[in-house]
Amino acid sequence: MTRNSAIAARVAMASVGGALLLGVGGAAFADELQQSDGVEVLTTIEPLTGPGTLAMTVAASSTTLTEGVSDDTTQRQFFGALPSVTITDTRTTIPEGAAWAVVGQASDLVSTDGGGQPAISAGYLGWTPSVVDPGETYEVLPGDQVDTILDDGPNNVGLEGIAGPELLAMTLNDSATTQAVAGSWTANAGLFLKVPLNTPAGAYSSVLTLSLFE
């Protein structure tokens, strides 16, 4: 076979392949719709039948206290808010007489800017709990205000937890209505820090640990 004959043969093969490919495409687009039908898709989501859980979630992992006006000329005072704490009960069966409580305890405030300032006792940190959303019942109670060691009063122990963690919110042991209705409740607290005027300036950090008990 001469060179020209070989080239002509390859061109012919390519042309045949192209014709076949176009032919298939042409046949597919030329099909006419003969019939169509629909299929209804059904499903059923059954109610939860598991035991469910009693769980706590906190809206944020940090909060900042900013200085405000002090009502005592010998102190500096800082204010902020605890991120919302939500308790959710999804249990289908709640033990008779069950109750839950959320408590909190803070670590000392330590320097975070490398200035070497001595730690500030968590006794200078206090809170005022409140129930933001009582849920379907009103049998959820906030804890008492915890004042700082610079305050006067019977509960001026701060949040360092010397006598144990402090109460944020709780249900009542004899509250049958609350225990019979699974739901969600939200608590909060105003935070305040009071320190002496001679407290070294700098950035400080503390960890406020919240715990859910039943």
Side-chain angles (χ1 to χ4, degrees):
M1 180 183 294
T2 64
R3 180 179 181 184
N4 289 338
S5 298
I7 293 175
R10 286 196 293 271
V11 171
M13 290 293 291
S15 299
V16 171
L20 288 174
L21 179 59
L22 291 175
V24 171
F29 283 103
D31 286 345
E32 295 183 0
L33 177 64
Q34 299 298 319
Q35 183 179 351
S36 65
D37 203 348
V39 177
E40 185 177 9
V41 178
L42 303 174
T43 187
T44 300
I45 300 177
E46 300 290 348
L48 292 173
T49 58
T53 59
L54 176 67
M56 176 181 71
T57 57
V58 184
S61 60
S62 66
T63 188
T64 301
L65 307 184
T66 56
E67 187 163 12
V69 177
S70 175
D71 55 5
D72 189 323
T73 58
T74 67
Q75 302 173 5
R76 298 180 69 178
Q77 298 184 10
F78 302 78
F79 303 91
L82 182 72
S84 295
V85 178
T86 300
I87 306 301
T88 303
D89 196 342
T90 59
R91 296 174 294 179
T92 55
T93 301
I94 300 174
E96 183 178 355
W100 55 258
V102 177
V103 298
Q105 181 174 349
S107 65
D108 290 344
L109 292 90
V110 297
S111 172
T112 59
D113 57 9
Q117 299 93 330
I120 300 173
S121 168
Y124 292 101
L125 181 65
W127 69 9
T128 305
S130 61
V131 176
V132 178
D133 180 3
E136 298 180 10
T137 69
Y138 289 85
E139 299 294 340
V140 178
L141 304 178
D144 294 330
Q145 177 168 312
V146 177
D147 291 318
T148 76
I149 57 178
L150 293 181
D151 293 309
D152 296 325
N155 204 27
N156 57 340
V157 295
L159 294 178
E160 60 183 339
I162 290 180
E166 298 294 336
L167 178 66
L168 176 67
M170 64 175 291
T171 54
L172 302 175
N173 287 324
D174 59 353
S175 176
T177 303
T178 299
Q179 302 313 318
V181 180
S184 179
W185 303 269
T186 301
N188 206 331
L191 299 175
F192 50 90
L193 175 71
K194 299 181 180 181
V195 295
L197 290 179
N198 62 354
T199 301
Y204 294 83
S205 175
S206 170
V207 175
L208 176 54
T209 302
L210 299 168
S211 303
L212 171 63
F213 291 94
E214 183 180 38

